[in-house]
Amino acid sequence: MAPLLTEEESAIDPYAILGLDVDATAKDVQKAYRKKSLLYHPDKNPAPEAIATFRQVSLAVGILKDQNKKSYLDTRLEDDRKKKARYAEMDKKRKKMVDDLVEREEQAKKARVEQQHRRRQEAEEESIKDAGKRMLEEAQKKAMAAAAATVAPSPAPTPSTEKAASNGESGPDITPECLTLIFILPSTSTVSQPQLLKSLTTSYGAVNHLILPDPLPSTPAILVEGTKKKKTKSRKAVVEFAKGNWGGCYSCCRDVEDGKVGKLGVEGVKVKWAVGEAPSWVAWAETQLPSRRKPSDATAASFSFPLPSPSSAATPPSFTSAPVFSPSTSMADLLASHAKERSSKDDVRRRREEAESMTLSRMRMMEREKLEAEIKRQEEED
């Protein structure tokens, strides 16, 4: 079946050319034709443009006077109008969707900026609090160290106060010879003087002197027939504990006698006093141990270990060395460390924000693709 409209007729809009509405009557068409003829008829207007315009006017009138062509044209124009209205509605929805996305992104950006500002303020407040806390701790440590260095030692009793010493009220006068131990090490021991000194000071406190000969080099034993095997001599170490460190001396002697040599790191070691037998202060020291004292002892609540003399203020009277206080830290160092921590936190937060932004971009792209697919589907249906 041949098309109702030719290619030239399909390319024009008769109603637009004649300036009429879709519901115009035949009388309206004739009236519009007369007006256009007065303007564009070749007899009235010989211009080339007027001739082309009059040609379109003639085609428009011919279409509108033919009822079949007019019906076909009206149907096509109505479909086009509906399609344009549908496209306009979709454009409106798309514009609204884009506006909503932009608004949500602006709100999210504003929320991120506010959150960053709030976190920055909290971090600054926390850094100031931490800096103040650390400075206070450093000041307290300095005060404790100064107090420990300036405190006066407890007066040592004389040997004549035997009764007071037996009650644990104060200790006897301890000489350096009475704080000296002799360690008998096995001949197979290879421990050196620095190693033994480190073990002693770490486990039992300060040591004034340590004498330990180096181990002899191991040589293969050559036995001659008819001779006895020569016995290898053991090694001896002489250790003088610091004045006031009677607790470390007593503990070391008892540990070795009881076989607890793990702190020294030497197996099979033996110990004896340099003065031959246990000094008199050992009996007094045993009365100071919590396991040896009775709860009813009148001096139980008032007993405390004697403090070191001013010459050995850095050496504690206990079995271990005094705590080492860390050097003071300035406010600039503290703020610099907090700035470094805050920078690392900012990097983590920035990566998280970039991930959120990428997620929003993907969501917007998916919505656009969905809308375009819907438009394409509707176009195919039309």
Side-chain angles (χ1 to χ4, degrees):
M1 181 178 179
L4 295 177
L5 299 178
T6 63
E7 184 178 355
E8 187 178 7
E9 291 174 341
S10 300
I12 64 173
D13 184 0
Y15 293 104
I17 292 174
L18 297 176
L20 299 174
D21 295 332
V22 179
D23 55 352
T25 61
K27 187 177 180 180
D28 295 333
V29 173
Q30 188 64 28
K31 187 177 179 180
Y33 175 72
R34 288 175 182 175
K35 288 182 179 180
K36 296 293 182 180
S37 297
L38 293 175
L39 296 175
Y40 301 108
H41 195 277
D43 295 340
K44 301 292 183 180
N45 190 350
E49 296 83 0
I51 296 174
T53 303
F54 185 75
R55 171 66 178 168
Q56 292 182 353
V57 171
S58 300
L59 291 174
V61 172
I63 293 172
L64 295 179
K65 285 184 177 181
D66 190 334
Q67 192 62 32
N68 293 331
K69 291 183 178 182
K70 184 177 183 300
S71 299
Y72 176 77
L73 177 65
D74 291 343
T75 303
R76 193 185 70 178
L77 292 177
E78 181 66 18
D79 293 341
D80 292 343
R81 186 188 63 79
K82 291 181 180 180
K83 185 181 295 186
K84 289 180 180 179
R86 188 165 58 251
Y87 286 168
E89 184 66 21
M90 286 189 292
D91 289 341
K92 184 178 179 180
K93 291 181 180 179
R94 179 165 52 190
K95 185 177 182 301
K96 185 177 183 301
M97 181 193 68
V98 173
D99 293 341
D100 292 342
L101 284 174
V102 172
E103 184 179 359
R104 286 200 298 268
E105 288 180 356
E106 291 294 334
Q107 292 177 355
K109 183 178 179 181
K110 184 178 179 181
R112 286 197 300 270
V113 172
E114 293 178 354
Q115 187 178 15
Q116 290 177 359
H117 182 66
R118 184 171 60 256
R119 288 178 178 175
R120 192 177 297 109
Q121 286 183 342
E122 292 176 355
E124 291 177 356
E125 293 176 359
E126 190 68 21
S127 64
I128 293 174
K129 290 180 181 179
D130 292 344
K133 184 178 179 181
R134 293 186 183 182
M135 292 183 68
L136 180 60
E137 291 177 354
E138 293 293 337
Q140 291 177 350
K141 289 181 179 180
K142 287 183 179 180
M144 292 173 61
T150 57
V151 67
S154 301
T158 59
S160 61
T161 58
E162 183 178 358
K163 182 177 180 180
S166 62
N167 292 332
E169 296 176 358
S170 61
D173 188 16
I174 304 176
T175 61
E177 293 80 9
C178 295
L179 291 175
T180 304
L181 297 175
I182 298 177
F183 292 89
I184 304 173
L185 283 69
S187 58
T188 57
S189 174
T190 59
V191 64
S192 62
Q193 180 172 337
Q195 293 174 349
L196 183 59
L197 180 61
K198 181 178 179 181
S199 300
L200 287 170
T201 54
T202 302
S203 303
Y204 302 105
V207 174
N208 278 347
H209 302 288
L210 171 61
I211 301 174
L212 175 63
D214 295 332
L216 296 175
S218 59
T219 56
I222 302 176
L223 296 179
V224 181
E225 186 177 356
T227 62
K228 295 182 179 180
K229 184 178 179 181
K230 188 176 181 180
K231 186 177 181 180
T232 307
K233 294 183 179 180
S234 58
R235 301 170 62 199
K236 293 183 179 181
V238 181
V239 180
E240 178 186 341
F241 286 84
K243 185 178 181 180
N245 191 15
W246 59 267
C249 181
Y250 176 83
S251 178
C252 180
C253 182
R254 284 291 179 262
D255 286 348
V256 176
E257 289 178 351
D258 295 339
K260 301 176 182 179
V261 295
K263 296 180 180 180
L264 295 178
V266 182
E267 296 293 335
V269 63
K270 297 180 181 180
V271 66
K272 65 179 181 178
W273 293 96
V275 293
E277 57 182 4
S280 59
W281 66 265
V282 174
W284 167 82
E286 291 179 349
T287 62
Q288 307 305 308
L289 296 177
S291 59
R292 300 294 183 91
R293 300 173 65 193
K294 298 180 180 179
S296 60
D297 193 351
T299 62
S302 61
F303 169 74
S304 62
F305 285 100
L307 294 173
S309 61
S311 61
S312 59
T315 303
S318 61
F319 299 168
T320 57
S321 59
V324 179
F325 296 103
S326 60
S328 60
T329 305
S330 63
M331 176 64 79
D333 296 336
L334 294 175
L335 293 179
S337 63
H338 283 287
K340 185 177 180 181
E341 295 176 1
R342 187 165 60 251
S343 176
S344 62
K345 292 180 181 178
D346 291 341
D347 292 339
V348 175
R349 185 163 55 253
R350 184 170 58 255
R351 288 195 293 269
R352 183 169 61 251
E353 292 172 356
E354 290 176 356
E356 293 176 357
S357 179
M358 292 177 63
T359 303
L360 290 175
S361 300
R362 286 196 296 269
M363 290 174 60
R364 183 168 60 182
M365 187 179 299
M366 291 173 62
E367 291 182 3
R368 287 182 177 177
E369 291 177 353
K370 183 178 179 181
L371 183 60
E372 291 176 356
E374 183 180 356
I375 294 173
K376 185 176 181 181
R377 181 179 58 79
Q378 291 180 357
E379 289 178 350
E380 292 176 353
E381 290 177 356
D382 296 337

